[in-house]
Amino acid sequence: MKKILLSAVALVAAMSVNAQEFCSFNEENTDFAALGLTTEAAAQKAGSVIGKTTSITAAIGADDNYKTIACNGVNCGETLIKGGLQGSSNPKDADGGTPSTTLIAPVSGAYLEFVATDDGWLYVIHKASSNKAYTVFEEGQAIGYTFAAIGDASTDLGAVYGYTIKGGGEFNYLKDGGITAVEWPEQIYTRAKGTYDSHLDAEGKWQNIAKGGMGVLKFQVFKGCKYAVNANGSKITCSGFIFDKDGKATLTTKVDENDVTFLENGEVPGAAAGIAGVKAEKVNGVVYNIAGQKITASYKGIAIQNGKKVVLK
C-alpha cells in the first residue's frame, strides 16, 4: 500500500469533476436475507460485505451480532440514504481497551471497515450520540475527521453542532498531532465554544447533555487503504456512506418534518461553523482503566494514561 501525500491528492481532487457515490445499508443495496440480517440480532462474520460502490467496499469489522434498524433518511441532493445496521457489542482493541482512550484500532465488537479503491472523501452516515466518542483508523492509525450532527436547540449543542479534529504530519494521524485520546462530541464541542466549564458540577464531574440525531463522520481516504470506524462505549448505528472527490457534500435530514442541513459544502454549517477546524484538546492527566472508564487516584492496577499503559501501585 502506497499512500499519496495529502497536498497532492487535494490538488488532484480540486481539479476533478465531483462524482458522488451513494450506498444505503438496507435491502435495496445488500442481500440481507442471504446474510441473515433482520430486525432480530443474529451472528455476522467479520468481512461480510454490507455495501459497495465503485470506489468503496463496506464490511463488518469483527464477528458480532447485528440487526436492521430504522433511521431518519439523509439526503444528498436527490439521493436518500435510509435504513441502517446496528451491532451488539462495544468495540475493544487487542488489549481490551476502548479505542477512543487508547487510540488503538478495534479488533472486536461492533465496528465497520471501509476499503477504498480511489482517492477522495468518505462520509459515514450514522445515528450520532453526543455522549459517545467516535474514532476512525487508517491502516491501524487513528486519524482526524469532521463530525457534524443534529443537536438540540434547547441545549448548548444548538440545533446543529460539529467540529473538525486535526491530526499532525502529512497523514492527519492523531498521535502525530499530540492527541492522546478522543472525548465525547459534546465535550469537544463545548470546549471549542468556551462553555465546557458550565457543564461541570461542584465536584468537577461532567454532566451529560446526551442528545442523539443523524450525523456524519467525514474523512479523506486513499486508494488501497482500509479504514475502521467505530463508536466507543456503544454499538455504531450506521445508515450508509457517500464517496466523492472534492469533499464538498451537503447533507440534510428531517427534524419535525422540516429539512435541516447538518453538513454544508463539506463543512459544519451555521453558528457551529465557527469552530470547524479546531484541534481536539489533549487529555493529559486523565487516567482510565483498560475498559475505558475514568478512574480516581485510589485505583490500583493496569491503567491507560496519555495513550500508554501504566501500572498504578
Side-chain angles (χ1 to χ4, degrees):
M1 180 275 297
K2 182 179 180 181
K3 182 174 172 184
I4 302 171
L5 298 182
L6 293 176
S7 56
V9 172
L11 178 60
V12 172
M15 297 171 62
S16 302
V17 175
N18 183 38
Q20 292 180 330
E21 302 173 14
F22 307 89
C23 181
S24 293
F25 292 156
N26 60 29
E27 63 279 358
E28 295 175 10
N29 292 291
T30 305
D31 189 350
F32 280 0
L35 292 173
L37 282 164
T38 69
T39 55
E40 298 296 325
Q44 297 295 317
K45 289 291 187 181
S48 297
V49 174
I50 53 175
K52 187 174 183 178
T53 65
T54 301
S55 303
I56 301 291
T57 298
I60 288 169
D63 293 355
D64 198 34
N65 294 329
Y66 278 81
K67 64 181 179 180
T68 60
I69 60 164
C71 285
N72 288 350
V74 171
N75 284 287
C76 182
E78 298 299 318
T79 301
L80 178 66
I81 290 180
K82 59 182 180 179
L85 295 176
Q86 184 181 71
S88 299
S89 305
N90 294 341
K92 298 293 182 181
D93 63 29
D95 294 324
T98 301
S100 61
T101 62
T102 66
L103 295 190
I104 299 173
V107 297
S108 64
Y111 71 96
L112 303 179
E113 287 188 341
F114 300 84
V115 177
T117 57
D118 201 358
D119 301 330
W121 277 261
L122 185 61
Y123 308 75
V124 178
I125 310 299
H126 63 110
K127 190 175 181 181
S129 297
S130 70
N131 63 327
K132 302 295 181 184
Y134 295 91
T135 41
V136 178
F137 295 86
E138 177 187 78
E139 298 292 331
Q141 296 288 330
I143 62 172
Y145 57 81
T146 292
F147 171 93
I150 300 299
D152 185 337
S154 68
T155 72
D156 197 38
L157 297 176
V160 175
Y161 70 109
Y163 48 82
T164 296
I165 299 178
K166 288 187 176 182
E170 282 290 341
F171 303 127
N172 198 24
Y173 294 153
L174 296 189
K175 289 184 178 179
D176 288 348
I179 297 172
T180 57
V182 176
E183 293 181 296
W184 294 347
E186 62 188 43
Q187 294 170 326
I188 295 173
Y189 183 70
T190 55
R191 282 190 191 280
K193 286 186 66 179
T195 58
Y196 180 91
D197 289 347
S198 67
H199 294 276
L200 300 177
D201 64 14
E203 298 179 350
K205 182 180 179 181
W206 177 262
Q207 300 300 294
N208 297 3
I209 302 174
K211 296 296 179 179
M214 294 308 294
V216 63
L217 293 164
K218 173 199 166 188
F219 49 95
Q220 196 163 20
V221 298
F222 297 87
K223 181 178 179 179
C225 290
K226 181 185 290 185
Y227 299 83
V229 177
N230 71 287
N232 294 274
S234 183
K235 288 72 69 174
I236 190 166
T237 302
C238 193
S239 293
F241 64 86
I242 298 168
F243 171 87
D244 69 18
K245 284 285 194 177
D246 66 3
K248 295 186 180 299
T250 294
L251 306 180
T252 65
T253 190
K254 292 286 186 182
V255 178
D256 297 328
E257 302 304 315
N258 297 313
D259 288 332
V260 178
T261 298
F262 62 98
L263 196 72
E264 187 170 18
N265 293 323
E267 303 291 345
V268 183
I275 69 161
V278 301
K279 180 176 178 180
E281 185 166 310
K282 296 181 185 180
V283 192
N284 293 324
V286 181
V287 186
Y288 304 87
N289 61 23
I290 61 172
Q293 301 166 318
K294 290 184 181 180
I295 57 179
T296 65
S298 62
Y299 180 86
K300 307 295 182 185
I302 298 174
I304 304 295
Q305 185 174 29
N306 294 335
K308 298 180 180 179
K309 281 186 177 180
V310 295
V311 178
L312 302 179
K313 299 179 180 180

